[in-house]
Amino acid sequence: MISQETAPAVPPLPHISKLVIIGVGLIGGSFALALRQAGLVEHVLGIGRSPENMQRALALGVIDAYTDDFAAALPGADFVLLAVPVRQTAHIMSNMAPYLDTNTIVSDVGSTKQHVVLAARAHLHAHLDRFIPAHPIAGTEFSGAQAADPNLFRNKPLILTPLPENSPQALAFVEALWQHCGAKISHLPVERHDQILAAISHLPHMLAFTLMQHIRTLGGNDPMALLRLAGTSLDDMTRIAGSSPEMWRDICQDNRAALLAQIEAYQAQLSNLHQMLAQHDDQTLERLFAEARETRRHWLETKNQSP
Amino acid sequence: MISQETAPAVPPLPHISKLVIIGVGLIGGSFALALRQAGLVEHVLGIGRSPENMQRALALGVIDAYTDDFAAALPGADFVLLAVPVRQTAHIMSNMAPYLDTNTIVSDVGSTKQHVVLAARAHLHAHLDRFIPAHPIAGTEFSGAQAADPNLFRNKPLILTPLPENSPQALAFVEALWQHCGAKISHLPVERHDQILAAISHLPHMLAFTLMQHIRTLGGNDPMALLRLAGTSLDDMTRIAGSSPEMWRDICQDNRAALLAQIEAYQAQLSNLHQMLAQHDDQTLERLFAEARETRRHWLETKNQSP
């Protein structure tokens, strides 16, 4: 019997006459560029606080125009992307609400979702059928419109956390936009998203901050005497300790319970390793290292497969 | 007054008629290539267990010839580099000892030093004036002669842990060789080396293995369901969990006490962060993140300064 390969599902071509990006930084700017490159958008309007950044975004062709006036910007928009720090979401939603057309679809990129959904329930309650919460797992250590890259989301995870109120058409529209950006789409319940992110992103950041702080403490008056002897392993393990303290304070606030649980589970694993080492149980230690390496190898293989 | 700049100290040009590399892998091979490129060596003889690897080393011009016969290889050597896993050091030293010329200078590249020094005291006791323990902090995830790179040590730390018995001339010779490889030289007492490496290298590896193992445990039957949602932060924080389990078991054995102390100090720091988070002390948390970022920023600046 001849096996028949079916072509991968091609999402419908969405079309956006007027796209509004609130916060034209790395994520918002990259999204605009990706949709432009895919030929899906006619006019891109930016909203942002920094005139310097908006000028740069304009000069780089990320946006076609900008304003700080929601009343002028929002009417007639097909799609609005909120790409601002999570803690600003509620304030911006309350500013948006009076000017939002019934048909406009809205989405966000917040890295914790329960807080964003609470804000939407408070400020966009008349619009919940068309507010689709989303989180692209992509980023670099750079920020601002000048860092925008149409390929930023290519082959990167994108998590949608749909609400019961969401219209299936609005959900399919947002999903199709991100597919055209090259992202690999997953759906998760809101609470599960925040639990999983606590494990795969928030915990690693806490470990990196703690490691840098540990070396700093150990080094006393002259931590550089230690650090100038360090190689790439410490460099890798502390790269994300270079992230924004304010942003990580906010994420800690927004996802406190899940993050506390992850730190506790990690502490238990580390105590387990400490015990093996203290008890000279080197065979079990070697098996643990081998299992960790095997899990990582399998992960890398999965990542390198085409989506 | 016109300020006068003094030229940086130029190390004396060492010359090696016959270099013997025991273990022609990433480190041994890169050392040979760097000295060749600097024009400091006439003939490079490799000693190794794998004929395939030695053939590759020969084909790539890393070595000029190879053998597995110490009796044939060692007489007439100016310099011998041991570049084998630490646990093989004692065995190889006992094989070398009968054939070592009085004038031959010997060094190693072991990543823990107390064990190597014990082995030297046991097997090279007649040669301690000319055995100079050394540790280049350089490496990649690749191995074998095909990974050898003459620039591997450029701007990387190299720690010498001289013995009281070491001849100043032999020490200066080894130091000059590594300077010509581009390494940044430090001197440390043997025990202090192992304590510092426990903090800046061995602890980070334990944290990476533990993080990978934590995610694996959390994922239950299907850790890939979690991992396919992960971004570059988890990737960075587990890269070194891809390292050799056998090598890390050996490092744990060799540096057990110092590593246990480091894990305990890290656990205390992590408990501290956990407590701030649990007590909603978000200002202190933000200050900790900022201090960690500042320490890292300062470190990167120091690294990017020319040596």
Side-chain angles (χ1 to χ4, degrees), chain A residues 231-243:
Chain A
T232 51
S233 63
L234 190 69
D235 196 6
D236 284 354
M237 293 295 288
T238 59
R239 187 185 66 83
I240 55 178
S243 307

Side-chain angles (χ1 to χ4, degrees), chain A residues 2-307:
Chain A
I2 296 161
S3 82
Q4 242 183 330
E5 292 220 328
T6 54
V10 177
L13 259 188
H15 179 77
I16 302 178
S17 299
K18 181 177 176 183
L19 171 66
V20 177
I21 305 279
I22 307 180
V24 189
L26 173 69
I27 302 292
S30 296
F31 181 78
L33 285 180
L35 293 189
R36 267 196 202 285
Q37 188 169 284
L40 302 183
V41 62
E42 279 173 44
H43 184 77
V44 183
L45 181 60
I47 299 186
R49 289 178 305 177
S50 153
E52 295 76 22
N53 186 57
M54 300 314 277
Q55 274 296 341
R56 259 197 306 271
L58 199 60
L60 292 165
V62 175
I63 54 176
D64 298 305
Y66 66 87
T67 176
D68 56 3
D69 181 1
F70 286 92
L74 295 180
D78 301 294
F79 185 67
V80 176
L81 187 76
L82 268 91
V84 298
V86 171
R87 287 269 145 182
Q88 294 175 31
T89 307
H91 177 68
I92 288 178
M93 282 178 173
S94 80
N95 286 346
M96 287 169 63
Y99 311 109
L100 213 47
D101 284 358
T102 313
N103 287 329
T104 304
I105 296 172
V106 182
S107 188
D108 81 312
V109 299
S111 51
T112 59
K113 301 279 32 135
Q114 290 177 92
H115 188 89
V116 167
V117 168
L118 279 178
R121 293 200 179 283
H123 301 289
L124 297 180
H125 40 81
H127 209 87
L128 289 179
D129 58 332
R130 286 164 187 270
F131 174 69
I132 317 290
H135 178 202
I137 319 271
T140 70
E141 60 272 48
F142 307 110
S143 57
Q146 71 275 16
D149 170 4
N151 295 311
L152 182 67
F153 308 112
R154 196 150 297 285
N155 222 14
K156 296 284 164 50
L158 180 289
I159 305 177
L160 292 164
T161 62
L163 308 178
E165 294 88 344
N166 283 170
S167 119
Q169 290 74 23
L171 179 60
F173 182 85
V174 174
E175 186 161 335
L177 290 182
W178 282 108
Q179 278 177 311
H180 282 284
C181 294
K184 296 188 290 188
I185 315 282
S186 298
H187 288 220
L188 284 177
V190 173
E191 201 168 310
R192 185 80 184 122
H193 168 279
D194 287 4
Q195 283 169 351
I196 288 181
L197 266 287
I200 62 177
S201 167
H202 308 168
L203 172 67
H205 279 82
M206 296 305 113
L207 299 179
F209 283 125
T210 301
L211 180 56
M212 203 69 257
Q213 192 68 352
H214 166 63
I215 299 291
R216 181 174 170 275
T217 306
L218 197 68
N221 291 330
D222 187 13
M224 292 308 132
L226 282 180
L227 285 167
R228 70 163 174 267
L229 300 174
T232 51
S233 63
L234 190 69
D235 196 6
D236 284 354
M237 293 295 288
T238 59
R239 187 185 66 83
I240 55 178
S243 307
S244 157
E246 300 76 21
M247 184 178 125
W248 281 96
R249 180 205 57 203
D250 289 354
I251 290 175
C252 285
Q253 286 180 342
D254 284 350
N255 206 18
R256 198 183 305 275
L259 181 51
L260 282 169
Q262 287 301 319
I263 294 173
E264 287 155 23
Y266 184 87
Q267 282 174 320
Q269 285 278 358
L270 188 57
S271 292
N272 188 35
L273 183 147
H274 179 276
Q275 195 180 5
M276 289 175 198
L277 191 59
Q279 295 179 346
H280 294 239
D281 188 358
D282 299 326
Q283 274 199 317
T284 312
L285 212 47
E286 184 180 351
R287 195 158 61 236
L288 183 149
F289 298 160
E291 284 171 355
R293 179 164 76 161
E294 177 58 20
T295 303
R296 181 166 165 83
R297 196 192 55 70
H298 187 189
W299 174 29
L300 293 188
E301 273 178 15
T302 310
K303 267 213 288 198
N304 294 331
Q305 284 160 8
S306 47

Side-chain angles (χ1 to χ4, degrees), chain B:
Chain B
M1 193 181 144
I2 296 161
S3 82
Q4 242 184 329
E5 291 220 328
T6 55
V10 176
L13 259 188
H15 179 79
I16 302 176
S17 299
K18 181 179 178 181
L19 171 66
V20 177
I21 304 278
I22 307 180
V24 189
L26 172 69
I27 302 291
S30 296
F31 180 79
L33 284 179
L35 292 189
R36 264 195 203 288
Q37 189 171 283
L40 302 182
V41 62
E42 279 174 42
H43 183 78
V44 182
L45 181 60
I47 300 187
R49 289 179 306 178
S50 153
E52 295 76 22
N53 186 58
M54 301 313 278
Q55 274 295 341
R56 259 196 306 270
L58 199 60
L60 292 165
V62 175
I63 55 176
D64 299 303
Y66 65 88
T67 176
D68 57 2
D69 180 1
F70 286 92
L74 295 180
D78 301 293
F79 185 68
V80 176
L81 187 77
L82 268 90
V84 298
V86 172
R87 287 269 144 184
Q88 294 176 32
T89 309
H91 177 69
I92 288 179
M93 283 177 172
S94 81
N95 285 347
M96 286 168 63
Y99 311 109
L100 213 48
D101 283 358
T102 312
N103 287 328
T104 304
I105 296 172
V106 182
S107 188
D108 81 311
V109 299
S111 50
T112 60
K113 301 273 43 127
Q114 290 177 92
H115 187 91
V116 167
V117 168
L118 279 177
R121 292 201 179 284
H123 301 290
L124 298 181
H125 41 79
H127 210 87
L128 288 180
D129 59 331
R130 288 164 184 268
F131 173 70
I132 317 290
H135 177 202
I137 320 273
T140 71
E141 60 273 47
F142 307 108
S143 56
Q146 71 275 16
D149 170 4
N151 295 313
L152 183 67
F153 308 111
R154 196 149 298 282
N155 222 14
K156 296 282 163 53
L158 181 287
I159 305 176
L160 292 164
T161 62
L163 307 178
E165 295 89 343
N166 283 170
S167 119
Q169 291 74 22
L171 179 59
F173 181 86
V174 173
E175 187 161 333
L177 290 181
W178 282 108
Q179 278 177 312
H180 282 284
C181 293
K184 296 189 290 189
I185 315 281
S186 298
H187 287 219
L188 284 177
V190 173
E191 201 168 308
R192 184 82 186 121
H193 168 278
D194 287 4
Q195 282 169 352
I196 288 181
L197 266 286
I200 62 177
S201 166
H202 308 166
L203 172 67
H205 279 82
M206 296 305 113
L207 299 179
F209 283 125
T210 301
L211 180 56
M212 203 71 256
Q213 192 68 353
H214 166 63
I215 300 291
R216 180 174 171 273
T217 306
L218 196 68
N221 290 331
D222 187 12
M224 291 308 132
L226 283 180
L227 285 167
R228 72 163 172 265
L229 300 174
T232 50
S233 62
L234 189 70
D235 195 7
D236 283 353
M237 292 297 288
T238 59
R239 188 187 66 84
I240 55 179
S243 307
S244 157
E246 301 76 20
M247 185 178 121
W248 281 97
R249 180 206 56 205
D250 289 355
I251 290 175
C252 285
Q253 287 180 343
D254 282 352
N255 206 18
R256 198 182 306 274
L259 182 50
L260 283 169
Q262 287 301 320
I263 294 174
E264 287 155 23
Y266 184 87
Q267 282 174 319
Q269 285 278 358
L270 187 57
S271 293
N272 189 33
L273 184 148
H274 179 275
Q275 195 181 2
M276 289 176 199
L277 191 59
Q279 295 178 346
H280 294 238
D281 189 359
D282 298 326
Q283 275 199 317
T284 312
L285 211 48
E286 185 181 350
R287 195 158 59 238
L288 183 151
F289 298 161
E291 284 172 356
R293 181 166 75 161
E294 177 57 21
T295 303
R296 180 165 166 83
R297 197 192 54 70
H298 188 188
W299 175 28
L300 293 188
E301 274 178 13
T302 311
K303 267 213 288 196
N304 293 333
Q305 284 160 5
S306 46

